[in-house]
Amino acid sequence: MKKTVLIYFLFIFTSTAIAQEDARWKGYFSYNEIVDVTAASPNAYAATINAILENNFTSNNQKITNSINGLKAENITCLHYSPTFNLKIVGNSNGLLLIVKPDGKIAEKTAIIEELPVPANTKRINHLMEHDGKLYIATDYGISVLDLTNLEFISTYYIGTNGEETPVYQTTVLNNTIYAVTRDFGIRAADLNNNFLYDFSQWNTFHNGFWNRITTFNNSLYASSVDNSLYQFTGATPLLLLTMPSACLHLKVSQDYLTITCSNWVRVFNSNNGIITTINNIENVNSAFTSAATLDNYIIIGTEGDGLQKAAISQTNSFETISPNGPLKNAVFRVKKAPTYLWATYGDYTTDYNPYPLDEYGISYFSKDNGWEYHPYESLLEAKSLSGIAVNPSNENEVYVASFFSGLLKITANEISLFNTTNTGNNGLESLVLNPPNPNYIDVRVNTPAFDKEGNLWMTNSLVNKALKVLKTNGTWQSYNSGVLLPQGINENYAALAIDENGTKWMPSSYDGLVGFNEKYNNKFIVINQENSNLPSDRVNVAAPDNSGRLWIGTARGLRVLQSVDRFISETELSTSNIVIQDGELAQELFYQQTILDIVVDGANNKWVSIADAGVFLVSENGQRTIARFTKDNSPLPSNSVGDIDIDATSGEVYFATDKGLVSYLGTSTKASDDLANVYCYPNPVRPEYTGTVKIAGLTDKANVKIVDIEGNLVFETTSEGGTIEWDTTAFGSYRVASGVYMVFIATKDGLDTAVKKVMIIR
């Protein structure tokens, strides 16, 4: 016997976030993967793993709540809407309960996570049920109860027959008796008038057997069993109502209908158990159903990959998609910003470069004019596990996509082609070698390619000796053999290739460190590794040449810097150094023993560094200063797992690809201009409600910027790093300047080019 004593004041911890969007952040989320659906006239509500959708069927307005406006979901598992309190509530896989209040503020109930004395893997929230002002939270340990009037937890019930924890899948109430479907103890029941429900002995077994869902409809209990049967109870006697084609996922009651959802089947009953409609499939929907509900003679069905579907109950042969426009999936593997388009791929490989199970997701692309569009897997010649993207700098409509199984895709406006062993010649792409060999088997593992200054496209080809490949501008292929230098050779995998200002190709490897190659110096190869170059690990994940001729190297166990890429030309061995920073009185190594996933250099030569499960750091040019750090807790990042970063050099927008969605941050470090012809200030005018900074963009590097008031008093001065600077509209940080027109005087570093702009401030 255990846990029979109620810890009454256990659940007192909560935090509230204001759902106020930071204009610097944008979300590029997918709303195709629906977890749960509910409805309360006139609105239909749906949840993805990290967002809530609200569709008003009267006005056709749509509202989205996600991390950009404060919803810090872990992994949403269920959704509830309370018409009485006007609350949208989602449960998460880790026990986090998020509540969106009528004023847009979001309450984060963390007590289940932080305080409940049960194993972490039993805190999943399975279902939310409201009754008499209380929310009954079915979890993998039992039931917790939340008072919806003050959003405080009241109690927790462990309802195993001996007081043990047991997964509860769903609860319902009939005639003031609460019923709970458990995994191990059948359907348990208790009288809600009993003040001692925290005592397991006050619960009884209503029915043995194995059940997975239960609800109240038309003053009766309905429950589904694990053998795919649906029963209606008359008293304690179950009467078989129907046999379902697969496991019941949801039983939902709304208005006068009971809706049953299976992965391949939805059926709606009226109050007389009459069949209103049955849906077995939806045209152009290929993914499984996840949840369904009815609203005002409409049926709304959530799907695993095709979004939210809506149809009149009387016309279920005519569904429409009502999910917002977005990329195919939230788990973005690689992102690439081109002048007009933003590209995203989903194919992936593990940390050990294993692409299995092979992904068949296609590729998404976004433009301001058309929103998100999609090249499906079938149109891409069935290329699998798409791992990286390169856009031709001379023609952004020519895009190359690496497949870590099928080779290299070329996408143009008129044609899609696939390069592999069949069409690149004896000196082109290679398939990994099987033992015994199979000439009909093609497994060509190409990773993220890169263009050199001459327009040649370079890429790595894993698990072969001639690992470095180039597609030349004349359409011919060339291979280079790095296997003579690498002890692993034919067993080696490679991350994204980088090319520095001298045309040296840097190939991060999984076992042998970093391989440098330059064909202009007699096909010179140099290997940077632990043994001869001071790397902390021979597993290199990223190499990033910066704007000062240095090479930043991210490994599985920390950071190293090659102080000059020019050394490759004249030396035969290359040593790297760490970066030591001062932390109070202590000196320590920057990113010591941390797994670095990506490093990207911005227009001011600052470095954006992604650390495994720790978010993103922005560090200064030399790494001595941390300018910013973004995590899920302090920013709209939906996850601390940021696998890829890319930057729009013109606007300074930084894109973060995470396992739970794609977001961007509008930075100020843009690429420097060649002159001052296109300098501009924004926003302009600065209105009273604006709380951000004024940006002066289109600058040359190291330009001098002075801002004076109408009387000529200097209020701000700085030197640009890159193409943009920020002014916080204060006089050197001491006080906010008054309303008025302010003059911006700009001069290049040499003083030969100048520009004058005006900014109006309205307080």
Side-chain angles (χ1 to χ4, degrees):
M1 182 185 300
K2 66 175 182 176
K3 300 185 180 78
T4 59
V5 179
L6 169 64
I7 307 174
Y8 200 86
F9 297 104
L10 178 64
F11 297 102
I12 60 174
F13 295 91
T14 183
S15 62
T16 300
I18 299 176
Q20 179 178 347
E21 294 189 21
D22 185 336
R24 295 172 297 179
W25 288 86
K26 294 180 183 178
Y28 299 88
F29 291 104
S30 171
Y31 302 102
N32 292 330
E33 300 160 305
I34 306 298
V35 173
D36 201 1
V37 175
T38 191
S41 186
N43 296 320
Y45 303 90
T48 67
I49 61 168
N50 56 8
I52 301 173
L53 310 180
E54 180 179 336
N55 289 273
N56 187 300
F57 280 15
T58 301
S59 65
N60 289 322
N61 289 335
Q62 192 170 65
K63 183 185 295 184
I64 302 171
T65 308
N66 54 34
S67 68
I68 300 299
N69 43 33
L71 190 76
K72 302 297 185 64
E74 173 64 21
N75 191 347
I76 295 174
T77 53
C78 54
L79 167 69
H80 174 74
Y81 173 72
S82 170
T84 303
F85 297 93
N86 191 17
L87 300 172
K88 298 185 284 285
I89 308 170
V90 290
N92 286 261
S93 59
N94 66 340
L96 175 65
L97 194 71
L98 297 173
I99 303 171
V100 184
K101 299 179 181 180
D103 60 1
K105 293 183 179 180
I106 298 171
E108 299 180 354
K109 310 297 289 186
T110 60
I112 289 177
I113 301 171
E114 297 175 354
E115 298 296 322
L116 201 64
V118 296
N121 63 356
T122 67
K123 296 183 179 183
R124 174 188 168 93
I125 298 175
N126 299 316
H127 184 261
L128 303 169
M129 186 271 296
E130 181 180 347
H131 177 73
D132 196 22
K134 299 179 179 66
L135 185 72
Y136 293 85
I137 306 167
T139 74
D140 273 359
Y141 58 80
I143 303 169
S144 289
V145 186
L146 183 79
D147 189 335
L148 290 174
T149 59
N150 56 20
L151 299 183
E152 293 185 0
F153 280 94
I154 300 171
S155 186
T156 291
Y157 309 143
Y158 304 99
I159 63 172
T161 54
N162 292 304
E164 60 265 62
E165 302 155 10
T166 184
V168 176
Y169 297 134
Q170 189 169 353
T171 61
T172 193
V173 173
L174 178 63
N175 298 328
N176 217 40
T177 297
I178 183 171
Y179 298 86
V181 168
T182 72
R183 184 188 66 186
D184 304 313
F185 304 102
I187 301 174
R188 300 279 282 165
D191 186 351
L192 285 177
N193 292 320
N194 190 330
N195 293 323
F196 304 98
L197 292 188
Y198 57 84
D199 181 354
F200 72 91
S201 67
Q202 305 302 304
W203 292 73
N204 61 77
T205 301
F206 173 73
H207 198 283
N208 286 310
F210 297 96
W211 306 86
N212 56 16
R213 297 290 180 266
I214 192 168
T215 194
T216 301
F217 178 60
N218 196 28
N219 205 35
S220 295
L221 290 178
Y222 288 73
S224 59
S225 64
V226 296
D227 66 355
N228 305 338
S229 298
L230 181 69
Y231 293 87
Q232 179 182 3
F233 281 86
T234 302
T237 303
L239 300 176
L240 180 63
L241 191 62
L242 64 90
T243 299
M244 297 168 287
S246 57
C248 181
L249 302 176
H250 286 282
L251 294 176
K252 300 271 186 180
V253 175
S254 53
Q255 297 174 329
D256 297 323
Y257 297 121
L258 169 66
T259 305
I260 308 148
T261 306
C262 302
S263 63
N264 57 350
W265 180 89
V266 171
R267 177 165 289 180
V268 180
F269 283 102
N270 63 17
S271 57
N272 297 317
N273 290 340
I275 299 173
I276 300 301
T277 187
T278 300
I279 298 110
N280 295 301
N281 57 73
I282 299 174
E283 187 178 3
N284 298 322
V285 170
N286 300 313
S287 56
F289 303 150
T290 56
S291 183
T294 58
L295 172 64
D296 297 338
N297 296 314
Y298 286 94
I299 184 164
I300 310 100
I301 299 178
T303 68
E304 279 188 350
D306 290 288
L308 196 61
Q309 305 290 323
K310 168 191 171 184
I313 292 178
S314 60
Q315 295 178 321
T316 54
N317 60 343
S318 181
F319 276 88
E320 63 172 317
T321 301
I322 58 173
S323 285
N325 180 249
L328 177 68
K329 292 170 60 66
N330 274 315
V332 175
F333 188 63
R334 292 286 182 264
V335 60
K336 184 67 176 178
K337 181 64 177 70
T340 303
Y341 294 99
L342 176 68
W343 294 84
T345 63
Y346 313 100
D348 59 6
Y349 44 75
T350 67
T351 55
D352 292 323
Y353 290 88
N354 181 3
Y356 287 89
L358 299 173
D359 294 319
E360 301 176 351
Y361 292 131
I363 185 169
S364 296
Y365 55 104
F366 171 84
S367 67
K368 291 183 179 179
D369 292 337
N370 299 319
W372 284 98
E373 299 176 89
Y374 178 58
H375 286 301
Y377 164 71
E378 294 78 11
S379 74
L380 298 178
L381 307 176
E382 300 187 349
K384 300 173 174 59
S385 296
L386 304 181
S387 59
I389 313 154
V391 178
N392 189 335
S394 301
N395 178 11
E396 73 158 320
N397 293 315
E398 183 177 291
V399 179
Y400 292 85
V401 183
S403 163
F404 212 65
F405 178 80
S406 305
L408 179 71
L409 281 166
K410 179 181 179 181
I411 301 173
T412 66
N414 301 317
E415 184 182 9
I416 296 176
S417 52
L418 177 64
F419 297 109
N420 56 29
T421 58
T422 66
N423 57 2
T424 59
N426 295 330
N427 216 9
L429 296 176
E430 299 174 71
S431 179
L432 62 84
V433 178
L434 297 179
N435 189 14
N438 181 354
N440 297 319
Y441 181 76
I442 297 177
D443 185 342
V444 183
R445 302 191 181 187
V446 175
N447 215 334
T448 308
F451 281 92
D452 65 17
K453 294 178 181 178
E454 290 77 33
N456 303 304
L457 183 65
W458 295 81
M459 69 208 74
T460 56
N461 191 168
S462 292
L463 303 179
V464 300
N465 275 322
K466 295 181 179 180
L468 184 59
K469 313 290 185 182
V470 58
L471 173 58
K472 298 181 179 181
T473 55
N474 62 8
T476 62
W477 286 82
Q478 179 70 44
S479 297
Y480 297 92
N481 189 354
S482 59
V484 294
L485 294 177
L486 303 181
Q488 301 291 341
I490 201 169
N491 298 317
E492 189 58 89
N493 289 283
Y494 302 91
L497 176 145
I499 304 177
D500 69 25
E501 60 188 15
N502 299 321
T504 301
K505 291 76 187 174
W506 298 100
M507 304 159 56
S509 77
S510 58
Y511 302 112
D512 294 309
L514 180 66
V515 182
F517 169 81
N518 198 317
E519 76 284 4
K520 297 175 183 177
Y521 298 93
N522 197 28
N523 292 343
K524 183 178 181 179
F525 276 101
I526 293 181
V527 177
I528 297 175
N529 57 27
Q530 281 183 282
E531 182 178 352
N532 60 26
S533 307
N534 190 37
L535 286 190
S537 168
D538 280 336
R539 185 180 188 87
V540 178
N541 295 325
V542 60
D546 75 4
N547 303 332
S548 300
R550 292 175 294 185
L551 184 70
W552 289 57
I553 305 168
T555 80
R557 300 183 65 184
L559 173 74
R560 290 294 184 269
V561 177
L562 176 64
Q563 294 299 329
S564 174
V565 294
D566 292 343
R567 291 174 52 201
F568 176 91
I569 299 171
S570 58
E571 300 179 24
T572 57
E573 289 190 0
L574 301 175
S575 60
T576 63
S577 57
N578 59 3
I579 295 176
V580 178
I581 57 175
Q582 199 71 26
D583 184 11
E585 297 182 356
L586 298 176
Q588 63 180 15
E589 181 180 311
L590 181 64
F591 304 130
Y592 176 70
Q593 294 290 298
Q594 299 295 303
T595 299
I596 298 174
L597 301 180
D598 200 13
I599 303 172
V600 179
V601 181
D602 68 19
N605 210 22
N606 299 321
K607 315 304 186 294
W608 295 85
V609 184
S610 169
I611 305 296
D613 300 318
V616 176
F617 289 79
L618 174 61
V619 298
S620 60
E621 177 179 0
N622 59 8
Q624 291 295 321
R625 181 169 59 95
T626 297
I627 300 169
R629 183 188 179 189
F630 297 129
T631 68
K632 179 180 175 182
D633 294 331
N634 70 4
S635 77
L637 273 181
S639 168
N640 286 332
S641 180
V642 180
D644 196 35
I645 305 172
D646 200 31
I647 298 178
D648 185 331
T650 302
S651 69
E653 190 169 5
V654 186
Y655 297 88
F656 305 108
T658 82
D659 58 338
K660 294 180 180 176
L662 175 64
V663 297
S664 72
Y665 173 79
L666 186 58
T668 59
S669 298
T670 59
K671 184 179 179 181
S673 299
D674 295 330
D675 54 43
L676 300 177
N678 297 308
V679 173
Y680 61 99
C681 307
Y682 68 98
N684 193 10
V686 179
R687 302 190 182 279
E689 64 273 13
Y690 182 70
T691 58
T693 60
V694 173
K695 284 82 172 174
I696 295 94
L699 303 172
T700 58
D701 192 32
K702 308 301 182 186
N704 178 256
V705 180
K706 294 182 179 181
I707 302 177
V708 302
D709 62 20
I710 199 67
E711 296 177 352
N713 299 307
L714 184 67
V715 296
F716 182 75
E717 183 176 12
T718 191
T719 300
S720 65
E721 294 182 353
T724 302
I725 64 102
E726 287 185 282
W727 175 40
D728 62 2
T729 70
T730 69
F732 293 103
S734 60
Y735 60 88
R736 296 174 71 208
V737 299
S739 295
V741 176
Y742 291 80
M743 306 299 295
V744 183
F745 296 97
I746 306 154
T748 57
K749 182 180 179 180
D750 57 14
L752 298 179
D753 191 8
T754 62
V756 179
K757 297 294 176 181
K758 296 179 182 179
V759 176
M760 177 177 284
I761 306 291
I762 305 172
R763 295 302 190 192

